[in-house]
Amino acid sequence: MSESDDGKVRLDKWLWAARFFKTRALAKAAIEGGKVHCRGERCKPSKEPKLGEELVIRTGFDERTVTIRALSAVRRGAPEAQQLYEETAESQARREQAAALRKAGALGVETDGRPSKKQRRALQRFRSDAG
């Protein structure tokens, strides 16, 4: 993998190059918002990641635990970006289980969709009578 001039890369730039975030600004905002932890602690966007360090990265509903395998300051294709890190087996299992629960509807309220015109009128009648 290509490294920067002196082998030093900012954490926000590495997260962007590893394709965890679409832009460096989003990566920086996530780090500042406490969504990225290194050794169990919050870190700064200017932190220099080291090979073998373990990061916990939260994006949306998913939380990944990854080990840094290579450093890069250049954003390339997804297959090359996946060579920069290795996700732990426990992290993959947790994400797959959480995705299965979300897909099954266990984490949210499931409805039949929007009410029909008749159902909306019945709701309005009920609310006006109750109030």
Side-chain angles (χ1 to χ4, degrees):
M1 301 289 118
S2 67
E3 294 185 18
S4 65
D5 305 331
D6 52 0
K8 294 182 179 180
V9 177
R10 291 172 52 104
L11 181 60
D12 59 345
K13 201 168 198 176
W14 184 86
L15 288 169
W16 167 76
R19 294 183 163 264
F20 286 107
F21 300 98
K22 283 189 174 188
T23 64
R24 278 187 63 192
L26 288 174
K28 182 180 179 200
I31 295 168
E32 290 173 345
K35 307 284 192 241
V36 179
H37 291 226
C38 181
R39 291 188 226 116
E41 296 180 1
R42 290 176 67 164
C43 43
K44 294 184 177 182
S46 61
K47 180 190 181 334
E48 293 176 8
K50 308 270 188 279
L51 295 178
E53 272 187 341
E54 199 168 86
L55 298 175
V56 178
I57 305 163
R58 167 165 255 144
T59 53
F61 291 116
D62 295 330
E63 186 175 284
R64 297 174 185 238
T65 304
V66 298
T67 305
I68 299 174
R69 290 175 49 193
L71 298 176
S72 177
V74 180
R75 187 174 170 103
R76 305 215 177 197
E80 290 182 49
Q82 289 173 347
Q83 301 299 316
L84 298 177
Y85 63 92
E86 183 177 358
E87 188 172 3
T88 62
E90 306 89 49
S91 173
Q92 285 178 335
R94 270 197 321 261
R95 279 190 317 111
E96 289 169 3
Q97 184 181 17
L101 284 173
R102 282 196 305 272
K103 191 172 185 180
L107 295 179
V109 176
E110 195 164 316
T111 63
D112 295 332
R114 292 177 55 179
S116 67
K117 190 171 187 178
K118 184 177 180 181
Q119 291 168 332
R120 249 191 341 269
R121 286 181 175 165
L123 278 170
Q124 288 171 346
R125 219 174 303 121
F126 175 74
R127 287 182 183 147
S128 66
D129 291 345

